[in-house]
Amino acid sequence: MGRSGRRALALIALGIAALMAAPAAEAAVVTGTPLVGYQPNNTVRDMIVVGNTAYIGGSFTALTSADGHTTVTRNHAAAIDMTTGNVLPWNPNVNGTVYTILPAGGNVYLGGSFTTVGGATHKNIAEVNATSGALVAAFANGSRPNRAVRAMVIAGGNLYVGGAFTSPRSYLMEVNATTNAYIPTWQPTVDDQVRALATDTSQTRIVEGGFQQCPTGSGCDGRIGIGAVTTTDGSFLPFAYSGPPTF
């Protein structure tokens, strides 16, 4: 075979090799693309999205990137950029589980089972800046619920709090949303912890849910699981729903 024939065969062989290699090269590009997002190292108990930011609270103490190369310390509360999936600088540094998060204005309320936030004493409830996570000093450590806070809602300018606590009152209380001063005139009656709270558009009633029970004779017929009370004094309101009276 002449030189020209051998050269033609060599070019054909190179072309076949390139075609055979093409799928492998393409696959390498796909699998080599970094995944976006961070994974917490323990349970997330609550998540609230405000604009492009997701605030999360729970039992975690760190978040690790999907590729495993980066770990960011965040004790029980963190903020995630919804576009990039990256952990934001927001860092309240809570020393115990955060069960509930409530954004309000430019700040965020945290409720849970903890004793310090940012190194300062705040028992089970605190307010922090929505950008930095720094404590809001005006929201003092006044109410000091003695056990976990599990739910919060704002109505009529005040903060309504539910949970497992029995002091300063049992399971449900109202505090000043600015100072955290306990408001003793709001006196709903429940017998066990409250895990969810909501209000209506008029903000004249609070709907509570969980494993609580209004005692027989209190006006709520021993109802278990869900009920509604006024925002004025916490007295029971008729509350129609599709389930049985007790469940």
Side-chain angles (χ1 to χ4, degrees), residues 10-216:
L11 291 172
I12 292 170
L14 286 171
I16 293 172
L19 289 172
M20 292 177 66
E26 185 177 350
V29 170
V30 173
T31 56
T33 302
L35 298 175
V36 176
Y38 279 72
Q39 179 69 41
N41 65 349
N42 211 323
T43 306
V44 172
R45 302 284 182 175
D46 196 16
M47 178 173 63
I48 298 292
V49 176
V50 180
N52 198 49
T53 300
Y55 296 95
I56 62 174
S59 306
F60 55 85
T61 55
L63 296 96
T64 301
S65 60
D67 59 14
H69 294 164
T70 305
T71 296
V72 180
T73 298
R74 287 292 185 271
N75 291 314
H76 307 107
I80 308 295
D81 186 299
M82 293 288 287
T83 300
T84 66
N86 291 329
V87 180
L88 294 171
W90 190 74
N91 185 18
N93 189 24
V94 186
N95 76 334
T97 301
V98 172
Y99 289 108
T100 180
I101 299 175
L102 178 66
N107 295 327
V108 176
Y109 295 99
L110 304 174
S113 182
F114 51 81
T115 57
T116 66
V117 178
T121 299
H122 272 264
K123 193 169 184 180
N124 301 327
I125 189 170
E127 184 181 10
V128 300
N129 182 276
T131 302
S132 66
L135 268 171
V136 176
F139 193 79
N141 193 33
S143 64
R144 299 189 184 189
N146 64 337
R147 294 179 186 171
V149 169
R150 293 185 175 273
M152 297 178 290
V153 69
I154 288 181
N158 285 332
L159 182 64
Y160 295 85
V161 182
F165 52 85
T166 56
S167 175
R169 70 180 322 278
S170 295
Y171 313 122
L172 273 172
M173 67 177 179
E174 180 185 13
V175 301
N176 184 288
T178 301
T179 65
N180 195 27
Y182 168 57
I183 300 173
T185 52
W186 195 66
Q187 298 183 349
T189 303
V190 291
D191 278 355
D192 209 339
Q193 63 180 293
V194 172
R195 294 176 178 265
L197 290 173
T199 187
D200 59 9
T201 54
S202 70
Q203 297 193 4
T204 59
R205 66 178 181 173
I206 301 296
V207 179
E208 70 273 5
F211 297 100
Q212 89 282 2
Q213 176 180 353
C214 302
T216 301

